Amino acid sequence: MFRRGALSGFTQYRVFRSPPISRSFSTVKEDTEVVQERDGCVFIDSVFPILLARFDIRRHFVKPYQDTLLTNLKERFSAVKTHSLQIISLDPHFKDGGVFVRFKYTSPQSEDVALKNIEESMRNEAMANGGITTWLGTRKANVWRVKGSPWNEDIVSRYSTPMLKVSFEGPDLPEETLYNLFRPYGRIETLSPPDPAPAGTQRFSTVAFSSVKAATVARNVIYGLEIPNAGGTTRLRISYLYPISGHAVRDWITNHPRISLPVLFFLIGTFTYTVFDPIRVLFVEAKLLDWFDLKEFKIYRWLRANTLERLYSKSEAFPADKQVWKEREDAQRALQAYLSDVPSTVTFVHGPQGSGKTTMIAATLKATERKSLVIDCNKLSKASSDAQLVAGLAKQTGYWPVFSFMNRINSLIDVASVGLIGQKAGLSRSVDEQLKEILDTVAVGLRNVNKRQHNEVMKKIQKNTKNETKRDTNQVKESHNEKASVDVQRTGDQNNRKDTEGGRKDGVDVQAVEALPIVVIRNFAGKTGSSRTVLLDALAQWAAKLAENQIAHVVVVSDNRENSKKVAKALQSKPLNFVALYDADEASALTFVQEKLQQADVNVSLSREEKTFVQRLGGRSVDLESLVNKVRSGMSVKEAVEDIISRGVGELRKNAFGDDADDAKSLPWTRDQAWMLLNLLSKNSEVPYHQVLLDYPFKGDELPLRSMEHAELITIATQDGRPSVIIPGKPVFRWVFERLVNDPVFRASQEIEFNNRLISGAEVTIQACEEELLKLTEIRRDTPTTWFGEDASSRRTQYLMKKMRDSELKLESLERKNVELKKSLTKLS
């Protein structure tokens, strides 16, 4: 016996790949009888697992026991001595789970009779010893005589199935012949006649067994069998046929995209809506109710109270009312009045940056002790892409999970669907649609939070009502001594109960209002470019929806009243509730600084001069806080104010004029416009709005003024709903403008540049007048003179001459100024 190399990790016995060929040897026996020695083969099924797929892992469990199974099999059949049987080799066929046992024998009988006897003897031997051991430890294997030429292949992509494709090399076989040939190996479910085939290809029939085991036995036993018939000899080629072609589903989907794609997209959308939307609503509620906030857990509070707070004493906060000046108190009362009523509109809180809007709103929310959601537009406006914008809004609102990467994939699918079905699939969505989807989900979460809070309040009210009713009943029973007194007491109790029920009803209404959550939209339109206007529009529509449906109180915070137009447009039938915050007056500002310094343990009694310097900062809380910090660090009040003004000069020079000429081109206004306006505001506390627009360099263009206002360089005050005057963006800017304008080098350079623009304009005017005068000269030469008065050309000539003279005088004056400015600039340099 010979062994060969391993196949697929298993030790194999020698395999005969060629068809069995009968060998005959002539020996002399009693000088008359000739005995033939032949080769044969049987197939033992179920020794190994039948592989049903490419990644069938059962093969790995059998690997350690492979040699043991084959050794037991050889020992079992070596005991069979029918016709001098000798085992030649065992050839395992792991894919079909069987083993080919090849042998040689000597028999004077015919080959068919001898092989049947050997097959029967091997079955009897197996049954006598309890059967053939299989990989599962059972003994249900059977012995089958191989009639054809078996093909032991190990192609990975082919695996066993109950259906067989029987191809004919030769004339077709009738169904009766096929049935009689295949029926002994198992029950047949379907048997098809030969199908028509193109010229040059083999015809075939399909045989479907009821089990995979029967199909594997039939395939390995009958493969290569030659059957004689009337038309000649037919050789059978058998292969497995899969019930459904490997790519049938894929091909059908590809060939019917108008049906398959809409159905697929509908299923995806349905799955997303039914699975992810409830999860997202739940996470929005969790953010509002602080379910995942560690500081809200009782164990955290207990640990903090018994560890840190015992080691470190918490300093008492300074009373809030002493830190709030009159203007902020009025705004806070107006906001509290809005939050104490059923919402029907949106409150728009506006005021210059640093006026204390955030502090006032935070104090109001803390006093109400209601659930709130804060959306900061300033952080969202910093997003560098649409995906980051959507993710940022989702993070601030608690919307989760978010699949930002899916929008790119959906866009690619839409592009592909245009080529397949002629139209977009509709999977990709614009930024506006994504933002609206997030906000709609958040609205559902706010509504659920409102219901939760309202139910908790109602339970408390019902519990208190039961306690009050029980207490009143006990009091009535104790006072029932006489009938008259009982009647009087009952009447009084009924009246009291009516009053109590009315009070309870009012209390329920109040509690229902207090159960509503509060939505705060901060920095609305604050430093937001045109690319993010879609965010502001979506937030404005959403805020109006929340207020009109009484889902939540909505407070929109902005630095400019002009930004309220988007919200007012969304609220078509309701006016906005405006709450304005302004800079503090001089008295409040001085009191604020003194109180802050006292809190910092800095004993400073402000002199008259120091108070004058503090007044330069105005009532802007940001500047006042900066002053206090500088004084605490060791500066005097005068030095601190001068430092604030000096820093403001540097920032203003960069923000209003740019670092260089290229940087100035990116500004939405020109240097001439900024210089002209700053020069006027350095000399006047306010400048008429429409007077600025009349002359150069604005000439009726309001866009640069609006851009300066958004950049917080200036503030445009309104009167009766129209722009009235222009004032500095902050009170301290008045001194910053003056310091910048009085810088001799900067002033000379800006004046020269400004005058050059005016000189260019005057030269253009003079040139235009000269050209028109030449034309008028030609007209008057061809027109006869009249004695009754001046003609039109003469009057036009006089007008142009006067205009040209004025422009010439202006040009000469500007050039003289430039010469002087250049001399002074040279000396200063």
Side-chain angles (χ1 to χ4, degrees):
M1 181 177 296
F2 301 93
R3 291 180 180 269
R4 63 185 181 90
L7 177 63
S8 302
F10 299 102
T11 303
Q12 301 286 336
Y13 287 86
R14 183 168 59 86
V15 180
F16 289 94
R17 295 298 182 187
S18 59
I21 302 175
S22 298
R23 294 181 298 173
S24 300
F25 300 92
S26 297
T27 58
V28 179
K29 189 176 182 179
E30 296 180 358
D31 298 332
T32 58
E33 184 178 2
V34 179
V35 180
Q36 296 179 343
E37 187 179 46
R38 305 184 184 94
D39 290 336
C41 182
V42 295
F43 181 74
I44 313 299
D45 63 22
S46 303
V47 179
F48 305 107
I50 300 175
L51 301 184
L52 302 177
R54 180 178 298 181
F55 302 103
D56 195 339
I57 63 174
R58 293 179 298 170
R59 71 181 78 180
H60 302 294
F61 297 110
V62 184
K63 185 177 181 180
Y65 311 104
Q66 166 193 331
D67 293 339
T68 302
L69 292 173
L70 294 175
T71 301
N72 294 337
L73 194 63
K74 182 178 180 182
E75 292 176 354
R76 180 65 50 84
F77 291 123
S78 296
V80 178
K81 300 300 181 181
T82 304
H83 300 305
S84 303
L85 179 71
Q86 295 181 10
I87 304 298
I88 299 176
S89 67
L90 276 73
D91 187 3
H93 191 9
F94 297 108
K95 286 182 57 179
D96 289 349
V99 178
F100 289 102
V101 180
R102 300 182 184 276
F103 55 86
K104 63 181 180 179
Y105 64 96
T106 304
S107 175
Q109 298 177 347
S110 63
E111 182 179 1
D112 186 52
V113 174
L115 289 176
K116 285 183 178 180
N117 292 336
I118 293 173
E119 179 186 11
E120 189 65 26
S121 298
M122 295 177 75
R123 283 179 179 170
N124 293 335
E125 179 67 19
M127 293 177 62
N129 292 277
I132 302 172
T133 304
T134 65
W135 67 283
L136 287 174
T138 60
R139 298 175 179 270
K140 295 183 179 180
N142 203 350
V143 182
W144 305 91
R145 177 167 61 96
V146 176
K147 299 179 180 180
S149 301
W151 179 28
N152 188 357
E153 47 83 17
D154 58 353
I155 300 175
V156 179
S157 61
R158 299 179 182 179
Y159 48 88
S160 306
T161 65
M163 298 180 66
L164 298 178
K165 176 183 177 181
V166 184
S167 302
F168 307 126
E169 290 185 358
D172 297 344
L173 296 180
E175 294 184 22
E176 294 83 357
T177 303
L178 291 175
Y179 178 81
N180 294 330
L181 186 63
F182 286 94
R183 181 61 181 86
Y185 306 105
R187 182 174 293 279
I188 297 175
E189 292 188 351
T190 58
L191 177 61
S192 66
D195 296 331
T201 59
Q202 295 180 352
R203 291 167 61 81
F204 64 90
S205 293
T206 302
V207 181
F209 288 91
S210 59
S211 65
V212 180
K213 176 182 176 182
T216 57
V217 172
R219 193 257 182 186
N220 288 280
V221 171
I222 302 178
Y223 187 92
L225 179 62
E226 296 181 354
I227 301 176
N229 54 23
T233 302
T234 302
R235 185 180 180 88
L236 302 181
R237 300 285 186 184
I238 304 175
S239 61
Y240 293 112
L241 185 65
Y242 303 103
I244 298 179
S245 178
H247 304 297
V249 176
R250 185 192 68 185
D251 294 340
W252 189 90
I253 292 175
T254 304
N255 296 328
H256 302 80
R258 295 180 180 272
I259 300 175
S260 59
L261 290 181
V263 172
L264 178 63
F265 300 150
F266 172 77
L267 294 176
I268 293 175
T270 304
F271 177 79
T272 304
Y273 178 78
T274 55
V275 175
F276 290 110
D277 277 8
I279 296 176
R280 290 162 177 162
V281 172
L282 184 64
F283 273 90
V284 172
E285 296 179 28
K287 182 176 180 63
L288 286 167
L289 299 174
D290 299 325
W291 288 347
F292 303 135
D293 189 1
L294 181 63
K295 297 180 180 179
E296 297 295 327
F297 291 126
K298 293 182 179 179
I299 185 170
Y300 175 85
R301 294 179 178 178
W302 182 86
L303 290 173
R304 184 176 179 86
N306 290 276
T307 54
L308 294 177
E309 293 182 359
R310 289 192 176 186
L311 296 176
Y312 302 98
S313 59
K314 187 176 180 181
S315 59
E316 296 182 359
F318 196 75
D321 55 348
K322 294 185 179 181
Q323 300 179 8
V324 179
W325 44 72
K326 181 179 181 299
E327 290 77 5
R328 195 178 297 175
E329 289 179 344
D330 295 339
Q332 188 169 0
R333 282 195 295 269
L335 183 59
Q336 289 175 348
Y338 167 74
L339 297 178
S340 62
D341 196 4
V342 178
S344 60
T345 185
V346 176
T347 292
F348 192 87
V349 180
H350 65 92
Q353 186 177 8
S355 58
K357 299 185 295 296
T358 303
T359 305
M360 184 270 293
I361 293 175
T364 305
L365 294 179
K366 185 177 180 180
T368 57
E369 297 182 352
R370 290 163 58 179
K371 302 300 178 182
S372 61
L373 177 67
V374 180
I375 300 176
D376 193 349
C377 298
N378 191 20
K379 294 181 180 179
L380 297 177
S381 64
K382 297 178 181 178
S384 59
S385 63
D386 294 338
Q388 291 185 2
L389 174 63
V390 174
L393 180 61
K395 183 178 181 180
Q396 291 189 17
T397 56
Y399 181 92
W400 188 87
V402 183
F403 306 106
S404 301
F405 66 93
M406 288 299 297
N407 198 41
R408 292 185 178 180
I409 299 176
N410 294 336
S411 299
L412 295 177
I413 294 175
D414 276 348
V415 173
S417 66
V418 172
L420 291 174
I421 62 178
Q423 60 183 6
K424 290 186 178 181
L427 284 181
S428 63
R429 295 169 297 171
S430 62
V431 183
D432 186 18
E433 293 175 346
Q434 296 180 62
L435 296 177
K436 287 182 178 179
E437 181 182 357
I438 293 176
L439 294 176
D440 289 342
T441 304
V442 175
V444 176
L446 291 170
R447 189 186 296 274
N448 293 343
V449 169
N450 181 17
K451 292 180 180 179
R452 288 176 182 269
Q453 296 293 103
H454 188 265
N455 290 336
E456 292 179 1
V457 170
M458 292 303 297
K459 289 180 180 179
K460 292 180 180 179
I461 292 176
Q462 291 176 359
K463 184 177 180 180
N464 295 334
T465 302
K466 290 181 179 179
N467 294 334
E468 291 178 1
T469 303
K470 186 176 181 180
R471 184 172 60 254
D472 293 342
T473 303
N474 294 333
Q475 292 177 357
V476 169
K477 288 182 178 180
E478 291 177 359
S479 61
H480 285 182
N481 296 324
E482 296 180 359
K483 184 176 180 180
S485 62
V486 169
D487 294 337
V488 173
Q489 183 70 28
R490 184 177 301 170
T491 303
D493 290 339
Q494 290 178 355
N495 295 331
N496 293 334
R497 190 176 293 110
K498 289 181 181 180
D499 296 338
T500 303
E501 290 177 354
R504 289 170 186 164
K505 185 176 180 180
D506 295 338
V508 171
D509 295 338
V510 172
Q511 296 295 336
V513 173
E514 293 181 353
L516 291 172
I518 302 173
V519 176
V520 180
I521 304 176
R522 296 174 52 192
N523 298 317
F524 189 78
K527 298 182 181 179
T528 302
S530 59
S531 60
R532 294 292 177 259
T533 54
V534 62
L535 171 65
L536 303 181
D537 293 336
L539 289 175
Q541 295 290 338
W542 181 63
K545 176 182 176 182
L546 295 179
E548 291 175 349
N549 296 328
Q550 298 181 359
I551 299 176
H553 287 96
V554 183
V555 180
V556 180
V557 187
S558 181
D559 296 337
N560 195 339
R561 182 188 173 97
E562 296 294 325
N563 297 327
S564 64
K565 293 180 179 179
K566 293 182 180 294
V567 185
K569 184 178 179 181
L571 282 167
Q572 298 180 357
S573 58
K574 300 291 180 64
L576 282 176
N577 180 33
F578 287 98
V579 175
L581 274 83
Y582 302 103
D583 296 328
D585 55 15
E586 295 179 358
S588 299
L590 290 173
T591 304
F592 177 83
V593 172
Q594 290 176 348
E595 289 179 353
K596 284 290 185 179
L597 292 176
Q598 288 178 4
Q599 294 179 42
D601 297 330
V602 178
N603 296 324
V604 177
S605 57
L606 299 178
S607 63
R608 179 176 299 178
E609 183 183 5
E610 289 175 337
K611 290 181 180 180
T612 304
F613 278 98
V614 173
Q615 291 173 358
R616 291 186 178 184
L617 300 181
R620 189 65 54 89
S621 62
V622 173
D623 297 330
L624 296 177
E625 290 280 0
S626 179
L627 171 65
V628 171
N629 293 333
K630 292 180 183 298
V631 173
R632 289 174 57 185
S633 63
M635 287 187 178
S636 64
V637 174
K638 181 179 178 180
E639 291 175 347
V641 173
E642 288 295 330
D643 184 66
I644 293 173
I645 294 175
S646 299
R647 291 189 178 186
V649 170
E651 295 176 358
L652 181 65
R653 182 182 288 111
K654 178 180 179 179
N655 296 332
F657 298 93
D659 293 328
D660 49 28
D662 294 334
D663 192 16
K665 293 179 181 179
S666 62
L667 298 174
W669 58 82
T670 64
R671 285 183 171 182
D672 293 343
Q673 293 171 339
W675 172 253
M676 181 259 194
L677 192 58
L678 267 59
N679 194 10
L680 291 174
L681 290 175
S682 66
K683 302 173 183 177
N684 306 283
S685 58
E686 59 183 32
V687 178
Y689 179 84
H690 294 283
Q691 182 179 349
V692 173
L693 290 174
L694 292 178
D695 298 327
Y696 177 85
F698 291 97
K699 290 186 176 181
D701 188 5
E702 299 185 45
L703 183 60
L705 290 176
R706 297 296 180 182
S707 301
M708 291 183 187
E709 184 182 22
H710 281 291
E712 300 176 359
L713 299 178
I714 62 173
T715 299
I716 300 176
T718 59
Q719 182 178 1
D720 298 331
R722 61 173 177 79
S724 176
V725 293
I726 301 174
I727 59 177
K730 292 195 296 184
V732 72
F733 276 3
R734 167 71 185 281
W735 305 98
V736 173
F737 293 166
E738 183 178 347
R739 184 75 56 85
L740 183 64
V741 170
N742 291 334
D743 183 356
V745 176
F746 185 76
R747 180 183 181 89
S749 60
Q750 294 299 322
E751 286 285 355
I752 291 173
E753 186 177 353
F754 187 80
N755 292 341
N756 286 335
R757 297 283 194 280
L758 295 177
I759 290 172
S760 299
E763 289 178 346
V764 171
T765 302
I766 293 172
Q767 187 177 0
C769 291
E770 290 174 348
E771 293 177 357
E772 190 172 354
L773 286 172
L774 291 175
K775 292 182 180 179
L776 289 173
T777 303
E778 296 177 359
I779 293 173
R780 295 181 63 183
R781 184 184 303 127
D782 299 332
T783 303
T785 58
T786 60
W787 299 96
F788 301 100
E790 291 183 313
D791 55 356
S793 60
S794 300
R795 294 181 64 87
R796 181 62 177 173
T797 301
Q798 294 176 6
Y799 170 77
L800 292 174
M801 292 295 291
K802 183 177 181 302
K803 185 175 182 181
M804 188 169 62
R805 181 176 179 276
D806 295 339
S807 298
E808 178 64 23
L809 294 175
K810 181 179 180 182
L811 186 148
E812 293 175 359
S813 175
L814 292 172
E815 287 184 345
R816 286 194 298 269
K817 289 182 180 179
N818 277 355
V819 171
E820 295 176 359
L821 290 171
K822 289 177 181 179
K823 290 180 180 180
S824 62
L825 187 60
T826 303
K827 293 179 181 180
L828 293 171
S829 300

